[in-house]
Amino acid sequence: MDTHRRKTHHPPRRPVTARLVAAAAVCATAVALASPAHAAGSGHRAHPAADRPAAVTGGQGASVPFTEYEAENAATNGTVIGPDYTQGTVASEASGRRAVRLSGQGQYVEFTLTAPANAVDVSYNLPQGSSGSLAVYVNGTRVSKTLPVTSKYSYVSTPNIGGSKTHHFFDDARMLLGQNLQAGAKVRFQVDSDSTGGPFTIDLADFEQVAAPAAQPSGSLSVTDYGADPSGQGDSTNAFDQAISAARSQGKEVWIPQGVFTITSPLPVDGITLIGAGEWYSELHGTHLIDMSSAQGDVKLENFAAIGEVTTRNDSSPDNFVNGSLGSGSVVSGLWIQHEKVGLWLEGTNTNLQVTGNRILDTTADGININGTATGAVIKDNYIRNTGDDGLAMWSLYAPDTDDSFVDNTVVQPNLANGIALYGGKDLTVQGNYVADTNALGSGIAISNQAFLQPFNPLSGTITVADNTIERGGAMNPNWNHPMGALRVDSYDYAISNPVNITDTVIKDSPYSAFEFVSGGGHGYPITNVTVKGASVTNTGTVVVQNETQGSATFSDVTASGVGAAGVYNCPYPSGSGTFAVTDGGGNSGWSSTWNDCSTWPTPNGGNPGGGTPGTGNLALHRPVSDTGHQDVYVASNAVDGDANTYWESTDNAFPQSFTVDLGSTQAVGRLVLKLPPSSAWGARTQTLSVLGSTDGSAYSTLVGSKGYTFDPASGNTATVTLPSGTSTRYLRLTFTGNTEWPAGQLSEFEAYAQ
């Protein structure tokens, strides 16, 4: 959340040590899963959710015009970095927490297209202070254009925000390729002798087929007819002002033709339609483009790009694309917004506002923030990546945001704070969204009564959180010295007692907990009247439910697998403030155990101390991997990504072939679970392999000798390998020497468990 017009965003440090010791007695009497009181689009989807039980679908996020390709899954001779969840590292801010580093001449990453494209946007990182370019090859031939890259907009420091570190490591560069490519085409970004600015770290590439520039609408007024300079060299502000004034008096639209237009002061767009030839063609360059305190409305901003020059975060300066009010019935659609402090910081009257189908990239603070008094606003189908604060936020200062909705949006890589956050408000909806890779000081989705300033309007009415997917959400909060969950309900400054209905939620690969209930200000304000119905939780690092305040919630049809420590952490703070009742509404499975020691925090995939149900966490999930060779895009990391539908395949006809996982430290390992895709299209097969271990990655010893393991879709397409009692190792290696159905080793998931 942008701190323009307010003080600090993030929670103060709580007395953690005293809190944990005092909470131990509470934990001893807390009851997990208490019995109930009575006995009985037409476009691509950005980051689609993985397969899950049919009853829980989660959210697919925005329908987008591009196909996204992760660099670590492409062909490369560079170095894959990550996965890493450590605040302040480059990999921790990458999509999927992994990227590819190109350090020397000849290193490349090459993407094989699965859909036609003539344009690309690349997310990358450079060392601080560097600028340069990368060579671009299409189907083996270098094209005349290079990809320009710079660290100018990266490495943001915010010392006024407690717990923050230098962040915002990635940036985006886009280019039209000058040719129409078909599926199967190969596009390579390579370090050539004339490439400067490296080493280069490539996170992902969004390829799309961009339509030709749109034609000028009949009857509209073109800004170039009033002297606007499409080269971007001259200041076009006065020409835009004249065109807007003429359009207002004549009741016409304002047309922005193809070109780059420099704007140096806010445009008076109240009641005006400002429309461009397309977000790849019509560009407004300016840092503070629209600022109206009391607009009447009916503003339409469509089909152009707004590119700023914001390189720092100054919360005393309104360096936002839109700052203030757009008025009633306004529409913002089809825009590309980049390098602003905030995409849209909305105050004042914004009744029935529609913000749909936009891309917001590389802001130093929020993507979109609806800051009080908005009613009936719909924020839908937007793709938001690499924000320096909340991706999407509603903050009910001065008056409650009422009947507003965040629907079908994709939010990826918010560097600080949350993917989506509600701070107070009445009858609000968060539905159909996809949120991934939240970093420090934030959750995937936060439902909060954190006020920041007064007069604040706490949560009221019914809050609906439905059909959302959160992947790799939640993060360590250095102010609290403990983690925040993927989905957080937070009675920070006020109790929460109004209905909060959380339904049909998918939470995947959270590094810590899935659901968190906390009073973040340390006051212990209660949380009640929360219902969690229908959720699929897979591979959560610590617990499914993290309870840190008094209150209650009812859970039903919540299933969990791959839980790293225990089902429930139940240690309310302050000591003696009460307990949190987790009421079993039926249909729950996989998370019945309770964390045993309130004097410590669960360690990801570290099991449960002091007896009780041991942790069931997969020690190999998202760990670094290597292989002796792989076929095409079937890279080793596919076998530790938690998705049984992606797979590693070794180089064909080249047995023996090896697959190695680094667990990060020497750990006790009791069994391995090896998987192939569950689809019946995979015929039964026997693979011959041995298991080796090493504590230093150099000297390996045989743990299990070579033998055949049968994989059969009729029985789940899995095989279990029991390791010798007392096995303790850091590196695990499978060496394949045979496969009855294919001349290569194949593996969709490699899972390692303590027991």
Side-chain angles (χ1 to χ4, degrees):
M1 204 170 149
D2 170 34
T3 52
H4 178 203
R5 303 193 185 162
R6 60 183 174 81
K7 296 182 181 178
T8 183
H9 173 173
H10 301 293
R13 186 179 181 89
R14 292 193 278 168
V16 177
T17 303
R19 169 188 184 277
L20 291 173
V21 173
V26 178
C27 181
T29 58
V31 178
L33 292 176
S35 298
H38 301 283
S42 66
H44 305 285
R45 288 286 175 182
H47 289 279
D51 289 348
R52 61 187 64 85
V56 179
T57 59
Q60 295 291 308
S63 179
V64 296
F66 56 82
T67 302
E68 193 153 273
Y69 303 80
E70 295 285 346
E72 64 270 20
N73 295 331
T76 184
N77 59 359
T79 301
V80 176
I81 64 170
D84 193 348
Y85 292 84
T86 306
Q87 182 184 4
T89 64
V90 171
S92 73
E93 288 191 14
S95 171
R97 315 296 176 120
R98 293 182 294 164
V100 174
R101 181 161 293 151
L102 308 178
S103 300
Q105 186 174 334
Q107 291 197 330
Y108 65 86
V109 59
E110 184 174 79
F111 300 94
T112 301
L113 304 190
T114 60
N118 60 6
V120 63
D121 174 62
V122 178
S123 174
Y124 67 90
N125 161 266
L126 293 182
Q128 189 168 6
S130 295
S131 292
S133 64
L134 271 172
V136 182
Y137 290 77
V138 174
N139 293 326
T141 300
R142 180 167 170 171
V143 301
S144 60
K145 291 182 179 180
T146 60
L147 182 75
V149 290
T150 179
S151 66
K152 176 181 179 180
Y153 306 98
S154 305
Y155 299 94
V156 174
S157 294
T158 51
N160 60 308
I161 298 178
S164 70
K165 296 182 178 180
T166 299
H167 57 280
H168 211 58
F169 298 123
F170 285 90
D171 194 26
D172 284 77
R174 67 179 189 170
M175 64 182 295
L176 292 166
L177 295 168
Q179 53 186 304
N180 293 317
L181 305 179
Q182 300 305 308
K186 297 181 184 297
V187 179
R188 173 181 292 197
F189 300 95
Q190 179 167 299
V191 182
D192 277 359
S193 59
D194 59 344
S195 300
T196 58
F200 310 83
T201 300
I202 309 300
D203 180 17
L204 56 81
D206 294 334
F207 285 90
E208 68 179 285
Q209 185 70 34
V210 178
Q216 180 176 352
S218 176
S220 63
L221 304 180
S222 173
V223 294
T224 53
D225 290 340
Y226 292 84
D229 178 7
S231 74
Q233 299 300 308
D235 186 343
S236 294
T237 308
N238 185 57
F240 269 71
D241 287 346
Q242 291 184 47
I244 288 169
S245 178
R248 182 175 288 112
S249 65
Q250 297 175 41
K252 295 183 177 181
E253 298 177 338
V254 175
W255 168 247
I256 309 171
Q258 184 172 358
V260 175
F261 301 90
T262 298
I263 306 296
T264 56
S265 61
L267 301 174
V269 297
D270 195 8
I272 292 295
T273 293
L274 200 61
I275 187 169
E279 59 188 350
W280 282 84
Y281 300 113
S282 302
E283 297 185 7
L284 304 189
H285 282 217
T287 294
H288 186 193
L289 290 170
I290 296 171
D291 195 336
M292 300 184 292
S293 59
S294 56
Q296 296 302 302
D298 199 26
V299 176
K300 291 182 174 57
L301 308 173
E302 300 176 343
N303 303 331
F304 60 88
I307 311 294
E309 284 293 324
V310 178
T311 60
T312 62
R313 174 171 173 171
N314 180 357
D315 288 340
S316 297
S317 179
D319 298 331
N320 311 319
F321 164 56
V322 173
N323 193 73
S325 169
L326 290 175
S328 299
S330 294
V331 176
V332 180
S333 178
L335 302 191
W336 181 301
I337 302 170
Q338 188 177 7
H339 295 155
E340 306 284 359
K341 183 179 74 171
V342 177
L344 288 84
W345 180 264
L346 299 166
E347 299 175 311
T349 302
N350 291 289
T351 303
N352 295 328
L353 170 71
Q354 296 183 51
V355 181
T356 62
N358 304 286
R359 263 177 278 197
I360 302 177
L361 306 173
D362 310 323
T363 61
T364 61
D366 302 44
I368 299 173
N369 191 310
I370 303 176
N371 179 200
T373 71
T375 301
V378 177
I379 314 301
K380 183 176 182 179
D381 232 15
N382 301 285
Y383 179 87
I384 299 169
R385 188 174 71 230
N386 194 34
T387 59
D389 212 300
D390 295 321
L392 296 171
M394 299 184 199
W395 179 30
S396 289
L397 184 66
Y398 303 117
D401 291 315
T402 303
D403 292 320
D404 302 317
S405 302
F406 289 144
V407 180
D408 295 340
N409 301 285
T410 293
V411 180
V412 182
Q413 299 166 280
N415 312 148
L416 291 176
N418 310 283
I420 296 175
L422 305 182
Y423 302 107
K426 179 180 180 182
D427 294 326
L428 305 177
T429 297
V430 178
Q431 184 167 7
N433 303 284
Y434 176 92
V435 181
D437 296 305
T438 59
N439 213 280
L441 300 164
S443 299
I445 297 175
I447 311 302
S448 176
N449 265 342
Q450 187 172 5
F452 303 107
L453 290 178
Q454 296 294 340
F456 176 74
N457 296 266
L459 295 164
S460 62
T462 299
I463 306 301
T464 300
V465 184
D467 310 315
N468 298 290
T469 294
I470 304 171
E471 190 163 4
R472 297 177 298 276
M476 180 60 66
N477 186 328
N479 296 322
W480 293 353
N481 200 30
H482 73 261
M484 308 174 88
L487 194 157
R488 185 174 88 256
V489 182
D490 191 348
S491 56
Y492 195 103
D493 289 310
Y494 300 88
I496 296 175
S497 59
N498 58 294
V500 177
N501 298 326
I502 303 169
T503 60
D504 199 18
T505 307
V506 171
I507 297 178
K508 181 182 178 185
D509 298 340
S510 168
Y512 299 103
S513 64
F515 298 97
E516 180 187 16
F517 300 89
V518 65
S519 185
H523 305 296
Y525 296 133
I527 297 172
T528 57
N529 215 3
V530 176
T531 300
V532 180
K533 181 175 177 59
S536 172
V537 177
T538 57
N539 300 323
T540 187
T542 56
V543 298
V544 176
V545 179
Q546 179 177 327
N547 301 323
E548 301 176 73
T549 192
Q550 60 179 310
S552 63
T554 298
F555 291 78
S556 57
D557 300 321
V558 176
T559 62
S561 62
V563 178
V568 180
Y569 173 96
N570 207 332
C571 305
Y573 173 84
S575 175
S577 62
T579 60
F580 194 97
V582 181
T583 302
D584 186 353
N588 300 302
S589 65
W591 56 285
S592 60
S593 62
T594 300
W595 178 250
N596 290 311
D597 184 3
C598 280
S599 67
T600 63
W601 283 99
T603 299
N605 296 308
N608 197 357
T613 303
T616 57
N618 173 13
L619 303 175
L621 181 66
H622 297 315
R623 296 305 309 166
V625 291
S626 60
D627 58 23
T628 50
H630 58 265
Q631 196 71 22
D632 198 27
V633 298
Y634 305 108
V635 294
S637 58
N638 288 349
V640 292
D641 64 0
D643 183 354
N645 294 291
T646 64
Y647 64 95
W648 167 76
E649 182 173 297
S650 73
T651 304
D652 289 353
N653 299 301
F655 288 127
Q657 291 281 291
S658 293
F659 172 96
T660 305
V661 179
D662 177 3
L663 301 182
S665 62
T666 299
Q667 302 183 52
V669 185
R671 64 185 170 94
L672 308 179
V673 177
L674 312 180
K675 296 181 178 180
L676 289 179
S679 169
S680 59
W682 283 69
R685 68 201 62 207
T686 297
Q687 298 196 78
T688 303
L689 58 92
S690 57
V691 182
L692 297 88
S694 172
T695 57
D696 60 8
S698 177
Y700 282 83
S701 60
T702 300
L703 301 177
V704 179
S706 181
K707 62 176 293 188
Y709 294 88
T710 298
F711 296 80
D712 189 343
S715 55
N717 231 5
T718 68
T720 298
V721 182
T722 301
L723 302 185
S725 177
T727 294
S728 185
T729 189
R730 172 172 174 172
Y731 297 89
L732 284 165
R733 173 173 293 173
L734 302 183
T735 296
F736 292 78
T737 58
N739 183 336
T740 58
E741 290 296 311
W742 198 256
Q746 295 172 313
L747 196 61
S748 70
E749 284 301 301
F750 176 98
E751 300 175 354
Y753 297 93
Q755 297 187 11

